[in-house]
Amino acid sequence: MRGVARGRYGFRRARATHPSRLATDELLHRVRLEAVADQLVSSLSHGEQRQLEIGMALAGAPRFILFDEPAAGLSPGERRELVALLTALPAHMSYIIIEHDLDVALRVAERVTVMHNGHVLKHGTPAEIEGDADVQAIYIGGGRR
């Protein structure tokens, strides 16, 4: 948070009441990392490191974020945390998610474009995509087209 705040080049740690510290605390809450706030990044689990990456992206108050396979390598529990985090992003913030885990993608997106062999296969709402026979055959049933 100090990277985008005034006084960011100071060597002293900001006071607890400093706006950058307050914003950091709010961001830690938003990305669900309050319990590990004092730990070194190297000691965080892969999922927690992914949450931290999202938090770092949010620190600059973006209007748009591109997520490239955010669920890759995550355990089922970490995937649930990721879905909760992405669905809790502010409504004014847009994002594109490139994700191979169809379960995650369908739970966090309003509109879905499914690609197969470099071409658009289907485009629609998560419910339309989930119920589509072609998508089921290729991605759920393992069929080839």
Side-chain angles (χ1 to χ4, degrees), residues 10 14 19 51 53 67 91 93 111 126-127 134:
Q51 288 170 250
E53 291 168 2
F67 294 108
M93 185 179 301
R111 301 289 298 167
D134 290 336

Side-chain angles (χ1 to χ4, degrees), residues 22-40:
L22 297 173
T24 299
D25 292 342
E26 193 279 321
L27 191 58
L28 284 168
H29 175 73
R30 178 181 282 175
V31 296
R32 303 164 179 253
L33 290 175
E34 294 166 305
V36 296
D38 294 329
Q39 292 184 21
L40 295 174

